[in-house]
Amino acid sequence: MSGLALKGTTWVTVRQYRRTLWLAGAVVALVGAVLGALWIWDARVPDTYTQGGRTLPAQTDTGRHLLDLAVGEVANGMLLLPVLLGAFVAGPLIAREYESGTYRLALTQSVGPAAWLRAKLLTVTVAALVAALALTVLYRLSSGHLTDTRLRDFDLGPYEVTGPVLFAQLLAAVAVGALLGQLVRRTLLAMAATGAVLGLVLLVIGALRWSLVPVRTITGPNGDVLMPRDNGLLVDTGLLTSTGARFDRAICWQEANTTPGVDADHDLWTTAHERCLARHDVTGQYVDYHPQSHFWPTQFIETGILLALAALALFAAFRVLRARHP
């Protein structure tokens, strides 16, 4: 067991931030306790009841409703983990060491600058990944229990928790926090800068996420609304002319809305709208969507982008460290 004991800078880091680590563990335990209690509550309520010799579905299940809400909040809350982790790394973990000058003491204990930074980053990374893994398992177990949940893997929050993207975000957060913490060297400023940079990066990647894999398109005659197949993710929908060109449906909506008398006669609006479609030779409609099969390719591509960003930021962080402490 002595071989597993923490030593050197790693022991110092764990000892220094033991309260934060205990707090993170307490949060994970609390989430597990709440989800477990709601799961038991839901399991105690039968899905059906008998009335007049007929078996009917249960009309209310407060436990399942609350469990559904709790699972959604866990997914949404985990969206903040990378930003919080990056701010912690940049601020209290690194910038405060420079701001207070305590890093000099560590560097006088036969510990090189690279080993000092590496021990700190490794400690917080392992703790963050373990906590994220525990929360992910809790989320997956709870959401798997909800066969009628409103959440989908394509949704913001469940998407990150379902695959490796969340763990790549955490690694990128650690690397960006390490870099900005050394560049800024002021606790609050480093935390603010890291939060802003990570927030911007995650927003940009999230906005481009569904452009990483080409969409599929289905077409049909203009009439009944087309829906994505296989419960896929709807990206865009619109109208088509007889030549196959896409047509902006807002044109005919605006034209029908400006027709005199439409406010008092809905049939007049419908007639004006249909005339506009006929004049522009609109004959069909299209739907651009991502099927379920695009989920994992998108996850892996985004994970690769985030890991590349993490590697670049980490490389830059150690270059800055070596430049200032050769």
Side-chain angles (χ1 to χ4, degrees):
M1 295 297 293
S2 61
L4 298 177
L6 299 177
K7 300 177 181 179
T9 309
T10 302
W11 181 88
V12 173
T13 302
V14 171
R15 181 74 178 172
Q16 186 176 5
Y17 297 101
R18 62 189 182 279
R19 292 182 180 177
T20 303
L21 296 175
W22 277 112
L23 177 61
V27 170
V28 173
L30 177 61
V31 171
V34 171
L35 292 178
L38 293 176
W39 193 345
I40 294 173
W41 184 0
D42 174 52
R44 293 171 65 96
V45 178
D47 296 331
T48 60
Y49 69 99
T50 303
Q51 182 178 24
R54 295 184 302 168
T55 301
L56 303 174
Q59 296 179 347
T60 59
D61 188 343
T62 305
R64 174 159 298 189
H65 177 67
L66 292 177
L67 179 59
D68 192 16
L69 292 177
V71 168
E73 291 304 316
V74 169
N76 292 331
M78 290 179 72
L79 290 173
L80 299 176
L81 279 182
V83 175
L84 294 176
L85 177 62
F88 172 78
V89 171
L93 194 68
I94 294 179
R96 190 168 66 185
E97 295 276 348
Y98 286 110
E99 189 174 21
S100 62
T102 54
Y103 76 98
R104 296 190 183 93
L105 177 62
L107 298 184
T108 60
Q109 306 300 313
S110 301
V111 177
W116 169 78
L117 180 60
R118 185 166 54 247
K120 283 184 168 294
L121 298 185
L122 183 61
T123 301
V124 72
T125 299
V126 170
L129 292 180
V130 169
L133 179 60
L135 290 173
T136 299
V137 171
L138 291 172
Y139 169 83
R140 295 302 294 172
L141 290 175
S142 301
S143 61
H145 178 71
L146 296 169
T147 56
D148 56 349
T149 180
R150 58 188 168 81
L151 301 174
R152 298 195 310 158
D153 289 345
F154 284 114
D155 296 337
L156 186 66
Y159 171 85
E160 285 79 5
V161 182
T162 302
V165 163
L166 175 64
F167 300 96
Q169 289 178 347
L170 294 176
L171 294 176
V174 171
V176 172
L179 175 60
L180 293 180
Q182 291 187 84
L183 293 176
V184 177
R185 294 195 171 199
R186 292 293 183 271
T187 304
L188 294 180
L189 288 179
M191 295 176 69
T194 303
V197 170
L198 282 174
L200 179 61
V201 168
L202 296 181
L203 283 175
V204 171
I205 293 179
L208 299 177
R209 172 176 297 156
W210 300 115
S211 301
L212 300 175
V213 177
V215 298
R216 290 185 183 176
T217 302
I218 56 175
T219 60
N222 189 24
D224 294 337
V225 177
L226 286 177
M227 296 298 294
R229 296 171 181 170
D230 189 29
N231 196 30
L233 175 67
L234 176 65
V235 176
D236 188 25
T237 181
L239 301 175
L240 297 172
T241 65
S242 61
T243 62
R246 297 190 172 188
F247 177 76
D248 185 1
R249 64 172 78 242
I251 294 175
C252 288
W253 283 347
Q254 294 173 0
E255 182 174 319
N257 288 333
T258 56
T259 302
V262 295
D263 293 339
D265 190 347
H266 179 71
D267 292 337
L268 181 60
W269 185 95
T270 302
T271 301
H273 184 258
E274 291 177 349
R275 287 177 179 174
C276 176
L277 294 177
R279 186 168 63 255
H280 290 281
D281 194 26
V282 173
T283 59
Q285 58 181 316
Y286 70 91
V287 168
D288 292 336
Y289 75 104
H290 284 289
Q292 290 289 340
S293 60
H294 285 185
F295 179 83
W296 287 110
T298 303
Q299 279 269 343
F300 292 138
I301 293 173
E302 184 174 348
T303 298
I305 294 173
L306 288 167
L307 291 179
L309 173 64
L312 289 174
L314 194 61
F315 175 77
F318 278 94
R319 286 297 298 268
V320 171
L321 182 68
R322 281 194 290 269
R324 291 181 172 177
H325 305 281

